[in-house]
């Protein structure tokens, strides 16, 4: 069963509360999302393997640790996932970025794929799949399915807010994928929106409504 990590650091909680407010405009919303994504990346990458190397300081030669093994790829689910990329790249600037384009059909709530471009060596990388909202879980589950079809099996799902329904869907469809959230909310409303949530993340990020 995939693990659910709710990253409830006070800075993350404070910034998430600001994002939820109706009065927060697109500029501040974008800044806060990137800041939270950066803070989350700190925890999400906690288990990256290290190796020991020898270096020379101005004082002496010494053994010290650097990141070893698998490299990272950040894969935002378009559109709203784009809002988390820069924040994570601040911490891991050598990560490659892939894109998966999905939108949720407003009537069926089913995800529709319209774009997929991944790094050529994606299957050798640890993938951080990012999307601010995990609502029914349909979009994230489908995106994980696309990644697995392309032989990417080392995947972590990083979302800002999750609904219990979305968490359960990922745990059922992809029990090998751990989920990282800044907040686990109460439920979905009749339109598939997270309650209390923050509304439509893509529209709030890009000012399209
Ligand atoms: C939103 C959000 C997720 C999806 C979550 O995207 O960014 O991708 O809905 O809902 P689900 O868990 O029920 O699938 P949306 O479809 O609104 O597209 P957008 O990012 O282009 O606005
Ligand atoms: N997509 C969003 O952007 N917000 C929600 O609450 C649910 C799906």
């Amino acid at each position: 069963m995939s693990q659910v990590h709710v990253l409830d650091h006070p800075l993350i909680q404070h910034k998430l509360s600001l994002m939820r407010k109706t009065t927060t405009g697109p500029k501040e919303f974008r800044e806060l999302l990137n800041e939270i994504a950066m803070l989350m990346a700190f925890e999400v990458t906690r288990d990256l393997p290290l190796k020991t190397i020898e270096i020379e300081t101005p004082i002496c030669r010494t053994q010290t640790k650097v990141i070893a093994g698998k490299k990272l790829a950040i894969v935002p689910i378009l559109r709203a996932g784009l809002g988390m990329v820069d924040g994570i790249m601040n911490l891991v600037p050598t990560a490659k970025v892939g894109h998966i384009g999905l939108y949720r059909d407003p009537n069926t709530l089913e995800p529709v794929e319209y774009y997929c471009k991944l790094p050529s060596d994606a299957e050798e990388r640890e993938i951080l799949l990012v999307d601010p909202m995990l609502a029914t879980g349909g979009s994230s589950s489908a995106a994980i399915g696309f990644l697995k079809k392309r032989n990417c099996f080392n995947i972590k799902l990083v979302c800002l807010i999750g609904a219990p329904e979305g968490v359960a869907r990922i745990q059922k469809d992809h029990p090998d994928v751990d989920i990282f959230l800044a907040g686990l909310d109460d439920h979905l409303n009749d339109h598939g929106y997270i309650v209390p949530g923050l509304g439509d993340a893509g529209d709030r990020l890009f000012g399209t409504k």
Side-chain angles (χ1 to χ4, degrees):
M1 169 84 84
S2 51
Q3 305 246 337
V4 182
H5 306 265
V6 181
L7 307 181
D8 57 359
H9 188 286
L11 286 174
I12 293 179
Q13 296 310 300
H14 180 84
K15 290 173 191 293
L16 179 56
S17 297
L18 297 177
M19 289 187 74
R20 289 183 190 275
K21 289 167 66 175
T22 313
T23 49
T24 299
K27 177 175 181 289
E28 198 187 349
F29 191 90
R30 274 195 301 275
E31 290 167 356
L32 288 163
L33 181 55
N34 269 314
E35 287 168 13
I36 294 177
M38 185 172 75
L39 294 169
M40 291 183 77
F42 195 72
E43 269 309 310
V44 171
T45 54
R46 176 175 283 284
D47 63 353
L48 282 179
L50 293 169
K51 67 178 179 191
T52 302
I53 59 165
E54 194 164 288
I55 60 159
E56 196 146 354
T57 76
I59 307 299
C60 67
R61 285 191 78 74
T62 188
Q63 297 210 325
T64 189
K65 292 187 191 305
V66 293
I67 289 173
K70 286 200 190 317
K71 301 202 172 99
L72 291 178
I74 305 165
V75 178
I77 300 178
L78 304 179
R79 285 177 303 172
L82 287 174
M84 299 174 75
V85 174
D86 287 350
I88 300 176
M89 291 286 276
N90 282 341
L91 283 194
V92 277
T94 58
K96 296 220 169 131
V97 181
H99 296 87
I100 293 181
L102 288 177
Y103 69 87
R104 196 172 69 151
D105 184 290
N107 297 317
T108 64
L109 301 185
E110 285 301 315
V112 181
E113 184 191 5
Y114 61 87
Y115 187 76
C116 183
K117 178 84 182 172
L118 300 176
S120 55
D121 59 353
E123 67 280 358
E124 294 163 22
R125 292 177 176 263
E126 174 169 326
I127 301 215
L128 305 183
L129 179 66
V130 300
D131 190 332
M133 309 309 273
L134 178 64
T136 64
S139 305
S140 292
S141 178
I144 294 168
F146 298 146
L147 289 169
K148 288 182 173 174
K149 244 193 255 166
R150 290 163 176 88
N151 295 320
C152 302
F153 295 103
N154 188 353
I155 304 166
K156 288 175 177 166
L157 176 62
V158 185
C159 302
L160 190 68
I161 299 179
E165 294 89 333
V167 169
R169 170 84 183 260
I170 299 299
Q171 288 182 320
K172 176 171 157 287
D173 293 355
H174 302 288
D176 54 313
V177 174
D178 284 351
I179 305 167
F180 295 79
L181 301 172
L184 179 57
D185 276 10
D186 197 58
H187 65 280
L188 296 179
N189 69 15
D190 292 345
H191 305 286
Y193 277 88
I194 298 175
V195 181
L198 48 69
D200 188 304
D203 284 340
R204 294 199 61 188
L205 258 179
F206 298 112
T208 42
K209 217 171 221 170

